[in-house]
Amino acid sequence: MEINTILQGNSLEILKNIPDKSIQTCITSPPYWGLRDYGTDEQLGLEETPDQYVENMVLLFREVRRILKDDGTLWLNLGDSYSSVHTGGKKSSRSTVGSNHENAQEIKQPKAKPSTYGLKEKELVGIPWRVAFALQADGWYLRQDIIWHKPNPMPESVTDRCTKSHEYIFLMTKSAQYYYDHEAIMEKTTDSYQGKRGKLKHRNKTQSAMSDRVFNVEYTPEMTRNKRSVWTIPTRSYKEAHFAVFPDELIKPCILAGSAKGDIVLDPFFGSGTTGLVALRSRRNFIGIELNSEYISIANKRLKPYLLQNELF
């Protein structure tokens, strides 16, 4: 199996050719439903209804589950959208966070009216949770919903709700016991803890249950704590692309917690290649799948300094 490469084509079909239990972790963001046209045939996200989109996600991530190792993880980023937003006299399902998506381009108008798929005009579609629950029903373990808080969200002209400034990252696993290096992503204690005293239980690195050993501690600026589930990370731009890309800081904790050095990281919607870039910097290998040749060119340019080293971790 070739690694540290980008495979061009339909993600579902390419995944079928990857051997069972060969991938340690998958970190990805599929095209959002009803939001963007990426200019290629066979793309996902242009389904007429949310149910059709969810069904396609289940089929694709069933293949991802097959190729994950038994202790593997999936880190799935999904944005939401609203039904039947009026834009220039037309109706569309339009995400409030779509312009920050890795591969975003043109708005695509869904063909079906909201009433045909059980939603009223202006309703939040709830795509992230629809997909998460469907994957759970298909056999995945839904372990956590992580909030990606964006301090610099896209402005919105709405006056009857808040401006959307977050997306979800779902941590999903193949098994109840899985690889998760919590120490690799520990964060510093906040100022509100410093100088205070408390009790600290000891947990060993093998993920066993808490031991009975309890220590009295005084929190200091040098101390760390288990990473919280709200990640405040600004969106980033890339000068070579006309769309926003994943921030490195968003991908890095997923890679560090979900894999060890030398493992293989998969992204079946590779886009401009941020997952592969962070994987190489973290001394992991990657496999990327991408349908759009323009994005592959951008990704290869970003990855070239690392790929020239011709080093397999």
Side-chain angles (χ1 to χ4, degrees):
M1 181 176 64
E2 190 176 3
I3 60 176
N4 294 338
T5 189
I6 307 171
L7 306 175
Q8 183 174 8
N10 180 291
S11 293
L12 179 59
E13 295 306 315
I14 291 178
L15 287 170
K16 292 177 180 178
N17 297 320
I18 297 179
D20 293 358
K21 302 181 180 181
S22 57
I23 303 296
Q24 181 58 49
T25 190
C26 175
I27 303 166
T28 196
S29 179
Y32 300 162
W33 176 71
L35 175 66
R36 301 296 180 192
D37 186 344
Y38 298 92
T40 52
D41 296 331
E42 300 182 275
Q43 62 186 295
L44 297 174
L46 302 186
E47 296 84 353
E48 291 190 353
T49 69
D51 288 345
Q52 292 172 358
Y53 176 81
V54 170
E55 182 180 351
N56 284 336
M57 291 295 102
V58 169
L59 291 174
L60 187 139
F61 286 106
R62 189 177 294 164
E63 283 299 312
V64 170
R65 191 170 73 244
R66 175 186 63 81
I67 65 178
L68 278 183
K69 295 181 180 179
D70 289 338
D71 63 349
T73 52
L74 165 65
W75 306 77
L76 176 60
N77 167 238
L78 286 169
D80 216 338
S81 55
Y82 288 87
S83 65
S84 197
V85 174
H86 288 270
T87 56
K90 298 181 179 180
K91 293 183 178 181
S92 69
S93 170
R94 187 176 184 183
S95 171
T96 61
V97 291
S99 296
N100 291 327
H101 192 247
E102 177 94 349
N103 304 337
Q105 285 202 33
E106 301 174 359
I107 293 177
K108 177 71 178 181
Q109 310 291 341
K111 298 176 182 178
K113 295 181 179 180
S115 58
T116 64
Y117 47 83
L119 289 175
K120 299 178 290 297
E121 187 173 318
K122 295 179 66 173
E123 277 199 302
L124 187 66
V125 180
I127 285 290
W129 286 103
R130 288 175 185 245
V131 173
F133 288 145
L135 294 180
Q136 185 182 51
D138 197 53
W140 287 92
Y141 287 79
L142 177 55
R143 288 293 295 131
Q144 188 162 44
D145 62 320
I146 297 165
I147 302 299
W148 173 18
H149 163 232
K150 304 176 183 181
N152 59 337
M154 289 295 295
E156 295 185 85
S157 59
V158 294
T159 57
D160 58 354
R161 61 172 173 79
C162 301
T163 296
K164 191 74 171 274
S165 62
H166 75 280
E167 291 184 21
Y168 289 99
I169 299 175
F170 293 110
L171 170 57
M172 311 195 79
T173 66
K174 185 174 181 176
S175 308
Q177 302 296 325
Y178 53 93
Y179 182 90
Y180 182 86
D181 187 355
H182 77 284
E183 291 187 346
I185 59 171
M186 297 280 278
E187 62 185 24
K188 292 183 178 181
T189 56
T190 61
D191 292 340
S192 60
Y193 277 85
Q194 293 171 17
K196 295 184 178 180
R197 300 189 64 82
K199 294 183 180 296
L200 181 67
K201 291 185 177 181
H202 170 74
R203 183 189 292 271
N204 63 33
K205 295 182 66 174
T206 61
Q207 298 179 330
S208 64
M210 286 283 191
S211 72
D212 292 329
R213 299 174 63 191
V214 179
F215 303 90
N216 290 318
V217 298
E218 179 174 338
Y219 293 99
T220 67
E222 293 77 25
M223 293 188 67
T224 57
R225 65 183 187 185
N226 196 37
K227 191 169 183 63
R228 274 30 179 181
S229 61
V230 177
W231 300 357
T232 300
I233 301 171
T235 59
R236 299 279 188 249
S237 61
Y238 178 57
K239 63 180 181 180
E240 301 294 331
H242 51 271
F243 50 83
V245 300
F246 264 152
D248 294 6
E249 297 87 348
L250 184 70
I251 303 300
K252 188 173 181 179
C254 305
I255 288 178
L256 294 182
S259 65
K261 291 180 179 179
D263 283 339
I264 301 175
V265 179
L266 169 72
D267 186 348
F269 301 98
F270 202 59
S272 63
T274 303
T275 299
L277 186 67
V278 179
L280 292 175
R281 287 174 176 170
S282 305
R283 302 189 66 79
R284 275 77 167 168
N285 300 296
F286 76 88
I287 295 177
I289 304 174
E290 178 53 50
L291 196 58
N292 189 302
S293 58
E294 178 185 353
Y295 303 146
I296 292 176
S297 297
I298 294 172
N300 278 328
K301 185 172 183 179
R302 298 180 73 196
L303 295 167
K304 185 177 180 180
Y306 298 91
L307 295 175
L308 285 176
Q309 298 174 13
N310 197 28
E311 182 176 5
L312 303 181
F313 300 114

